Amino acid sequence: MTGRGLARAIGWAATGMLAGGCVTAQPYDYTNYRLHPPRSIVVLPPLNQSTAVEATYGYLTTVTRPLAERGYYVFPIAVVDQFLKENGLPGAGEMHQVPVEKLAEILGADAVLYVTVEQYGTKYIVIDSVTTVAAHARLVDTRTGLLLWEGRRVFQQSSSAGQSNLVAMAISAAVSQVLNTSTDYAHRLSPQLNVLLFSQKDRGLLYGPYHPRYDQPPE
Amino acid sequence: MDPGHGGQMTRAVWRPAFLMLAAALAAGCVRPTLYSWGQYEELIYRSYAAPGAVSPEMQIEKLEADYQKARSENKPVPPGFHAHLGFLYFQLGKLDQAQQQLETEKAQFPESAVFMDRLLSNLRKN
């Protein structure tokens, strides 16, 4: 590579890093959130825009922990899901149509988290594999219908991350394929997406009442 | 410059710096979790991913073990844990245990009261 070519490549890499999030984004506007701070959150099964049918429950089953550790009461996801199904709502699409005041009445939830899984799964490109999980989440107050918070994040992991050696890459891709067929790798990466989505300074959820830092600005 | 004096200076600076670092680690970077999670989320995931592969009996056994472990660590189980356990007992027709778990959820997290009362009133209707 010529000197100029190298410089250009570095320039593009730097631009990519800037676009990718190294520049601090503007803090989220928490006005509504602070006016209507929820104690409890019900997470409905997510809408699924990915091609993987298992995305809905593969992602849903990773959301309780980050929300609860943020200090909120989180309704039992499987019990809520079953309850809504038995009451004539067969899937996520129907559940997302329920008016928020109805969710307040039936469950007593202060807020509802509507999630759309936008990408979920693993792609194989020659000897590399890339797993992507992307989600859009909206937290809505059940008494007023106001949007309290929303976020959208993508998390991606390549089987060749951190490797420059072709043989190592080939082995890693093979191992990843084995892992991916026996387990749901996108499911296992979802907690890392959730850190980006829910727990980031100035963009994530505020602390809830069970957190020692409740009523303080997020870290 | 007196090397001995320099050494004392270094030590005097480093000790508070070290203590601050230790305090920072203790306070934030390695903050313990609020709850003892055990296999709560993992079991729900598996019951969706492979229905039938994880029976309610097996889930109950693992969650009851998680509960004993949490108690021994003096740490609360997460929101929804007792409600889910009650739901599993209900599936087996063990209504007394189901009722007890739903009431425990409500006592631990008053935010669940509306939903738990609804489930409790439905419990013996079927």
Side-chain angles (χ1 to χ4, degrees):
Chain A
M1 196 181 275
T2 64
R4 194 187 288 174
L6 185 64
R8 191 177 295 162
I10 291 171
W12 278 115
T15 310
M17 277 164 69
L18 289 175
C22 290
V23 172
T24 312
Q26 264 211 320
Y28 193 82
D29 179 357
Y30 290 106
T31 309
N32 286 346
Y33 204 148
R34 289 189 206 283
L35 280 172
H36 306 278
R39 294 188 63 85
S40 62
I41 299 174
V42 59
V43 187
L44 296 179
L47 299 178
N48 180 14
Q49 292 180 346
S50 82
T51 51
V53 287
E54 61 269 31
T56 295
Y57 293 106
Y59 182 73
L60 175 66
T61 52
T62 66
V63 183
T64 304
R65 184 168 175 148
L67 301 187
E69 288 292 335
R70 205 78 183 159
Y72 294 98
Y73 177 73
V74 182
F75 286 81
I77 52 167
V79 185
V80 169
D81 181 41
Q82 188 62 31
F83 181 83
L84 295 177
K85 280 176 178 161
E86 283 171 8
N87 284 276
L89 303 166
E94 291 83 3
M95 294 177 195
H96 283 233
Q97 296 300 316
V98 177
V100 286
E101 56 269 29
K102 197 77 185 163
L103 292 172
E105 181 197 324
I106 295 170
L107 305 172
D110 294 339
V112 53
L113 189 76
Y114 295 100
V115 180
T116 302
V117 178
E118 297 178 333
Q119 294 180 69
Y120 188 92
T122 303
K123 274 185 186 151
Y124 301 96
I125 305 135
V126 196
I127 54 168
D128 197 4
S129 69
V130 177
T131 303
T132 308
V133 190
H136 178 208
R138 294 165 59 244
L139 187 69
V140 174
D141 181 47
T142 57
R143 277 155 301 183
T144 62
L146 283 172
L147 179 70
L148 303 182
W149 172 90
E150 74 178 318
R152 169 183 268 125
R153 290 286 177 165
V154 181
F155 186 83
Q156 203 162 57
Q157 193 170 77
S158 160
S159 63
S160 65
Q163 290 169 6
S164 52
N165 177 316
L166 265 185
V167 177
M169 276 174 70
I171 292 170
S172 162
V175 169
S176 299
Q177 287 205 26
V178 172
L179 281 178
N180 289 339
T181 50
S182 60
T183 65
D184 184 349
Y185 202 59
H187 167 75
R188 292 204 284 140
L189 289 191
S190 295
Q192 296 179 65
L193 171 75
N194 291 337
V195 171
L196 296 177
L197 189 58
F198 299 122
S199 310
Q200 277 211 325
K201 180 178 159 66
D202 293 338
R203 302 293 306 168
L205 295 174
L206 298 177
Y207 291 116
Y210 288 99
H211 197 282
R213 289 177 61 93
Y214 183 50
D215 271 345
Q216 293 175 40
E219 281 173 1
Chain B
M1 201 187 206
D2 173 15
H5 181 71
Q8 275 175 359
M9 275 292 288
T10 310
R11 209 173 302 154
V13 171
W14 276 103
R15 188 171 299 161
F18 175 75
L19 287 175
M20 276 165 67
L21 178 68
L25 285 172
C29 304
V30 286
R31 174 175 288 150
T33 58
L34 299 180
Y35 303 104
S36 175
W37 284 88
Q39 300 181 73
Y40 175 58
E41 280 200 302
E42 178 63 19
L43 285 170
I44 297 175
Y45 169 64
R46 285 169 60 193
S47 68
Y48 278 121
V54 276
S55 65
E57 290 91 340
M58 186 260 238
Q59 285 193 64
I60 287 171
E61 189 184 318
K62 291 196 183 292
L63 290 176
E64 290 285 10
D66 279 347
Y67 178 57
Q68 292 309 323
K69 186 162 174 284
R71 278 177 64 115
S72 72
E73 291 167 346
N74 216 2
K75 227 172 175 184
V77 290
F81 181 97
H82 286 293
H84 186 72
L85 195 46
F87 168 64
L88 294 169
Y89 278 121
F90 173 75
Q91 288 179 329
L92 296 182
K94 298 186 172 179
L95 301 187
D96 290 344
Q97 282 111 314
Q99 180 180 345
Q100 191 194 340
Q101 292 298 333
L102 298 177
E103 281 167 356
T104 307
E105 176 82 14
K106 186 175 152 183
Q108 187 188 355
F109 296 104
E111 293 83 359
S112 70
V114 171
F115 189 38
M116 292 306 109
D117 285 342
R118 191 173 292 279
L119 296 177
L120 282 163
S121 72
N122 289 346
L123 199 59
R124 295 176 199 274
K125 276 186 187 167
N126 298 325

